[in-house]
Amino acid sequence: MPAPLTSPSRPLTAVHLVTLGCARNEVDSEELAARLEDGGFQLVDDPEDADAVMVNTCGFVEAAKKDSVDTLLQAADLKASGRPQAVVAVGCLAERYGSELAESLPEADAVLGFDDYADVAGRLQHILAGGRHETHVPRDRRTLLPLAPAQRRAAARGTAIPGVPTQTSPVTPLPDGLAPASGPRAYRRRLNGSPYAPLKIASGCDRRCAFCAIPAFRGAYVSRTPAEVVDEARWLVEQGVREVMLVSENTSSYGKDLGDIRLLESLLADLGAVDGLERVRVSYLQPAEMRPGLVEVMTSLPHVAPYFDLSFQHASPGVLRRMRRFGDPDSFLGLIESIRKAAPHAGIRSNVIAGFPGETEADVDILSQFLVDARLDAVGVFGYSDEDGTEAAGLDRQTDEDEIEARRAALADLADELVSQRAEDRIGERVRVLVEEVAGQGEATETVGRAAHQGPEVDGSVTLDLGHAGVVGTFVDAVVTETDGADLRAVA
């Protein structure tokens, strides 16, 4: 029997959980937190108070991977000089690289894949006791389920899909604060007191975008049932949540494996019956999958934010074809026009990629003109980088790294200017703001929140002039008076 990492006089049961990456990863961290707590661990906010530090990594692009590795190394430094006895990697980077990551990063005591999540507490107990974890060899998780979407639900039983329960869990009650145990149970423990929470409705992706590796390590598309989503929304409201954002790798595909590609429309209507849930936001929509009925529902139901997170990625038809995507400026602008015709103040955001292989100066001009014409509320501009195992990494006409950065910087400057102009258009507009933070005291108190057109963390915020401190979790009707980039100032 291997010796424990140390020989403490107390049990090793405190764990600090670090979350990197997107809102989907936030949901996965809350699943891990629930499973750890159910397995006897105590979650602590300070890594210096922890026996183990678990890092939920991101493996999407090069910058995110570097951030994940740096965070693991920082935890290892703390282990060398403080209380923590183990550093464990989980999440997308861990799943994507598995044994390769474990070999290249010996500072981490273990690298756990998605298949380890169901017994993550047991895995961590074993590691803290000095046991060695056998790291998985990466595989294409799309091969775990049938190619036909309709056959996946039954085949998914026993398959590990973070955030998507695929088999009935034991009916033993969970401790207070963990997600309820009705039907296939989604383990979840809130890690903060925010009045907003992401709510995962599906996992995986069936698209084959040339630049994206996500489907290979997240797997094929699997939807949760509407009843499961509504039940979890009710539980989130009990935890103080007033706004949920529906997340998945591709939300506009929701229901394709349940026999109804328009199931998102009815799910949005069903969520209106959840008492106390005042705002529902939808994220990660594919422009090619948008349909008039979905636009109508998202702009007409009072509890649904008229907010469209549309993944354009580019506007040049030639570049989009090489990306294995669809569209052109006219079709994209037509979609935007249909949204603003139904809801003139709707929020529309997107991400674009600069420097994709084969992109010409003329393509950049097309993308630039599209951004000018689209008048988006928020734009993320990313420079292209090769991703292991993707088709784009092997394409010809690769763009020089310096040129990629030059194009990215120019597009980012243009996007910043256009987003500022779009925000200025909102001066005098009435907005409904969810209060998320109250800081300071007396006259220095600041009340900050988000309007319906602003997604969490990435789309700006609203500072409210109330004359008094606001209350976190309440909604305030206000009128926009000033702007600073995408950020607004408004008076109640």
Side-chain angles (χ1 to χ4, degrees):
M1 174 72 68
L5 299 180
T6 64
S7 299
S9 58
R10 53 175 176 71
L12 298 173
T13 59
V15 58
H16 175 72
L17 186 57
V18 182
T19 304
L20 304 174
C22 64
R24 300 183 297 273
N25 243 21
E26 292 179 35
V27 179
D28 292 351
S29 281
E30 294 194 347
E31 175 187 345
L32 289 166
R35 292 185 180 279
L36 288 165
E37 192 165 277
D38 194 32
F41 282 90
Q42 175 189 3
L43 278 295
V44 295
D45 295 329
D46 190 336
E48 295 188 0
D49 296 332
D51 299 307
V53 177
M54 183 172 286
V55 181
N56 189 358
T57 60
C58 178
F60 180 38
V61 294
E62 198 60 40
K65 288 186 278 190
K66 183 180 183 303
D67 188 27
S68 295
V69 171
D70 288 347
T71 303
L72 287 163
L73 291 174
Q74 290 167 9
D77 288 343
L78 184 61
K79 172 190 166 185
S81 60
R83 171 172 167 175
Q85 303 299 303
V87 175
V88 178
V90 296
C92 290
L93 187 71
E95 174 61 41
R96 183 176 179 184
Y97 291 103
S99 54
E100 180 183 341
L101 178 64
E103 183 177 345
S104 63
L105 195 70
E107 293 86 351
D109 295 287
V111 174
L112 305 184
F114 296 155
D115 291 333
D116 295 308
Y117 281 21
D119 188 29
V120 67
R123 301 286 194 274
L124 187 53
Q125 288 165 354
H126 175 69
I127 294 160
L128 285 169
R132 181 179 180 275
H133 177 74
E134 189 67 34
T135 308
H136 68 283
V137 175
R139 55 180 170 172
D140 188 337
R141 296 190 71 86
R142 290 172 294 190
T143 63
L144 300 181
L145 295 175
L147 185 62
Q151 298 174 10
R152 290 178 192 159
R153 190 75 186 181
R157 293 188 179 276
T159 303
I161 305 175
V164 179
T166 55
Q167 60 185 356
T168 302
S169 301
V171 295
T172 52
L174 290 173
D176 291 342
L178 304 192
S182 59
R185 182 167 66 197
Y187 278 81
R188 187 166 185 178
R189 178 196 188 276
R190 301 251 24 234
L191 292 173
N192 61 55
S194 170
Y196 145 82
L199 175 53
K200 187 178 286 191
I201 65 171
S203 183
C205 185
D206 290 339
R207 301 188 73 88
R208 294 296 183 267
C209 301
F211 54 82
C212 185
I214 289 176
F217 58 85
R218 276 290 183 178
Y221 197 87
V222 178
S223 304
R224 300 178 66 187
T225 68
E228 291 167 10
V229 175
V230 171
D231 281 348
E232 189 165 331
R234 288 197 178 96
W235 175 80
L236 286 169
V237 169
E238 292 171 2
Q239 307 304 307
V241 170
R242 295 295 172 263
E243 174 186 318
V244 298
M245 182 166 75
L246 307 184
V247 299
S248 74
E249 277 72 24
N250 180 8
T251 304
S252 45
S253 282
Y254 177 72
K256 63 182 289 186
D257 53 319
L258 299 178
D260 186 356
I261 192 59
R262 293 174 176 78
L263 199 57
L264 181 57
E265 289 90 320
S266 59
L267 172 63
L268 289 171
D270 292 345
L271 288 167
V274 178
D275 290 339
L277 182 59
E278 300 192 47
R279 182 186 286 167
V280 177
R281 188 179 299 277
V282 181
S283 66
Y284 305 113
L285 297 165
Q286 287 288 342
E289 295 180 0
M290 290 300 293
R291 44 200 181 267
L294 181 55
V295 172
E296 180 183 358
V297 166
M298 291 179 62
T299 55
S300 62
L301 292 179
H303 62 281
V304 177
Y307 172 83
F308 293 79
D309 178 10
L310 296 165
S311 177
F312 290 123
Q313 302 300 350
H314 213 282
S316 167
V319 174
L320 286 166
R321 281 195 296 273
R322 283 174 68 86
M323 288 179 167
R324 292 198 177 275
R325 296 176 66 85
F326 305 94
D328 54 64
D330 289 343
S331 64
F332 290 165
L333 292 172
L335 172 59
I336 291 171
E337 182 182 4
S338 71
I339 291 168
R340 289 188 172 141
K341 182 178 180 181
H345 300 305
I348 305 176
R349 80 165 331 272
S350 191
N351 296 318
V352 297
I353 297 173
F356 189 80
E359 182 189 66
T360 65
E361 292 290 348
D363 294 324
V364 177
D365 291 341
I366 291 172
L367 176 56
S368 299
Q369 187 59 51
F370 166 72
L371 292 176
V372 171
D373 295 338
R375 296 171 52 245
L376 303 174
D377 292 272
V379 184
V381 181
F382 297 90
Y384 170 79
S385 62
D386 284 340
E387 286 298 314
D388 299 333
T390 62
E391 179 184 351
L395 289 176
D396 60 353
R397 295 189 287 157
Q398 294 279 334
T399 308
D400 178 77
E401 288 186 9
D402 291 340
E403 181 61 22
I404 291 175
E405 174 53 25
R407 293 180 186 180
R408 186 210 63 78
L411 285 167
D413 288 344
L414 173 63
D416 287 345
E417 179 182 350
L418 295 170
V419 167
S420 295
Q421 292 174 8
R422 175 65 175 160
E424 289 172 2
D425 291 343
R426 293 189 182 274
I427 292 178
E429 182 180 314
R430 187 183 181 92
V431 290
R432 192 160 189 254
V433 179
L434 172 62
V435 176
E436 294 186 307
E437 181 182 1
V438 179
Q441 293 181 338
E443 295 183 1
T445 300
E446 275 202 335
T447 300
V448 181
R450 289 180 297 105
H453 71 278
Q454 295 171 318
E457 299 181 9
V458 293
D459 295 345
S461 61
V462 181
T463 299
L464 290 165
D465 294 325
L466 298 176
H468 57 83
V471 178
V472 172
T474 60
F475 282 83
V476 175
D477 291 318
V479 176
V480 178
T481 57
E482 300 175 43
T483 68
D484 181 9
D487 296 327
L488 310 179
R489 194 168 195 99
V491 62

